[in-house]
Amino acid sequence: MDISLKSASEIEKMRTAGALAAQVLEYIEPFVVPGVTTEELDDRMNDYIVNTEHAVSADLGYEGYPKATCISVNEVVCHGIPGPQHLHTGDIVNIDVTVLKDRYHGDTSKMYIVGGKTSIRNEQLVRCAQEGMYAAIRTVRPGANLTEVGEAIQKIADKYHFSIVRDYCGHGIGTGFHEDPQVLHYRNSNDLLLEEGMCFTIEPMINAGTWKVKVNKKNGWVVTTADHQPSAQWEHTLLVTSDGVEVLTLRKDEDFPRVIHNS
Ligand code: MF3
Ligand code: CO
Ligand code: CO
C-alpha cells in the first residue's frame, strides 16, 4: 500500500478543495425542492463549480462517468446519474460532489429530505448514516487503527437495525481521487495505523433492508439496493492532524467541530 502523507502546502490545497466541495452542497440546498429534476440540480452545481469556484468536477469523465455530480434518490445507494427524473416530497436524496482545484480533490456528500418531511423510517435511516459517519470521524487520530472506523459505524447501524453496504468504501484522497487506503465502514480486521498527514474519506452507505446491492447493467454506474428498500449516505474528507482530525469538508449547517483534539 502506498499512502501519501501531505506536506503543509499540500494540506492548504486540500483545505481549499474541501471547502469548495462543501460550498457546492450549501449552494444547492434551496434548489432541492419537489418538482425539480436531478439534471437541473447537476447543471446548477456544475455551473457553480466552474464559474463561481473556478474549479472543475472530478466526477465528469471519471472512468467515463457522464455528469458532474452523483444524485442518488431513495433506493439508489450511490452513483445515481442526474437525469430527467423529478423529485417528490418525501424522497431522500444524496448529493455527492467531488471538486478538483489546483490538482487536489475535495469529496463530500449529504442527504436532503425533499419537501422537509419523509417517513419516520427514512428519517431514522438518514440519521443513522450521519451518526455513524460522525462517530467514525471521532475515532481518527495518529496511532488509531483504521478498524476503529468500521467498529464505530457497526455499533450504530446495529442499534438502529439497519445494514451497512460492503461493496463500496471510503478512500485515501489527494492528487488522486481514490488513493490508498480503503476505508471499510463495517466491522473488519483491515488494520492500519493512522499517521499525521493522511487524508481519506469516511462515507458510510446504510440500507434499511439488506446490505446487498446491484449495479445497473445498462449504464454500469447506478447502484441500487438489491431489495429496493431505501439507502442513505454522508461523506466527509478528513485530515489526520498531529493530535486528532480536521474535517476538510465541514459545512455551515453542521453541528460538529471542524477540528478534534483527541490524543
Ligand atoms: N464521489 C464518489 C466517492 O465518494 C465517487 C463518484 S465517481 C463518479 O468516492 F464517477 F461516479 F462520479
Ligand atoms: Co468518496
Ligand atoms: Co463522494
Side-chain angles (χ1 to χ4, degrees):
M1 227 185 313
D2 183 24
I3 301 176
S4 67
L5 300 180
K6 273 72 177 175
S7 66
S9 68
E10 290 183 287
I11 288 168
E12 255 333 295
K13 291 178 184 174
M14 287 299 294
R15 280 199 185 101
T16 300
L20 293 175
Q23 283 159 26
V24 177
L25 295 181
E26 292 172 349
Y27 158 75
I28 204 65
E29 173 108 53
F31 300 105
V32 185
V33 293
V36 74
T37 69
T38 55
E39 197 156 45
E40 284 172 60
L41 296 174
D42 185 72
D43 285 343
R44 276 192 188 280
M45 288 188 279
N46 193 235
D47 188 71
Y48 185 81
I49 292 167
V50 172
N51 297 313
T52 301
E53 298 189 331
H54 307 293
V56 296
S57 157
D59 289 4
L60 192 59
Y62 176 76
E63 294 183 7
Y65 187 75
K67 292 287 184 178
T69 66
C70 296
I71 305 185
S72 303
V73 182
N74 298 330
E75 75 277 11
V76 179
V77 173
C78 63
H79 306 162
I81 302 174
Q85 171 187 12
H86 293 268
L87 297 182
H88 301 101
T89 300
D91 285 345
I92 57 168
V93 180
N94 175 274
I95 301 184
D96 190 334
V97 172
T98 308
V99 164
L100 182 55
K101 175 80 172 184
D102 212 359
R103 292 179 41 248
Y104 286 79
H105 292 79
D107 186 6
T108 186
S109 80
K110 69 164 277 184
M111 296 300 295
Y112 300 83
I113 296 176
V114 180
K117 53 175 193 278
T118 188
S119 66
I120 288 174
R121 193 153 180 263
N122 277 350
E123 274 175 16
Q124 287 170 340
L125 188 64
V126 168
R127 207 177 311 135
C128 175
Q130 189 180 37
E131 261 182 50
M133 177 189 67
Y134 283 153
I137 291 172
R138 288 187 181 283
T139 71
V140 175
R141 64 192 185 282
N145 196 304
L146 201 51
T147 57
E148 294 176 43
V149 165
E151 192 62 34
I153 298 164
Q154 187 79 54
K155 286 200 180 105
I156 288 166
D158 288 353
K159 180 180 85 181
Y160 280 91
H161 304 288
F162 292 139
S163 69
I164 305 167
V165 170
R166 303 176 74 87
D167 303 32
Y168 298 88
C169 55
H171 49 91
I173 184 166
T175 53
F177 191 164
H178 296 108
E179 300 183 352
D180 287 338
Q182 291 200 68
V183 179
L184 304 182
H185 299 119
Y186 51 91
R187 183 170 293 129
N188 69 86
S189 54
N190 206 349
D191 58 340
L192 169 87
L193 295 183
L194 300 182
E195 288 176 53
E196 180 179 357
M198 287 181 181
C199 288
F200 58 87
T201 70
I202 295 180
E203 48 180 303
M205 283 148 264
I206 305 291
N207 293 353
T210 179
W211 57 268
K212 291 191 179 158
V213 301
K214 353 179 237 211
V215 182
N216 183 295
K217 287 206 183 67
K218 284 194 192 136
N219 57 47
W221 281 105
V222 182
V223 180
T224 50
T225 55
D227 59 6
H228 303 289
Q229 291 201 60
S231 184
Q233 180 181 25
W234 298 76
E235 175 175 23
H236 273 311
T237 296
L238 308 167
L239 164 71
V240 183
T241 61
S242 62
D243 65 351
V245 57
E246 179 174 336
V247 183
L248 299 176
T249 46
L250 195 76
R251 300 179 309 280
K252 290 196 195 78
D253 60 273
E254 287 182 279
D255 185 15
F256 194 78
R258 161 173 283 276
V259 178
I260 302 174
H261 305 278
N262 60 11
S263 59

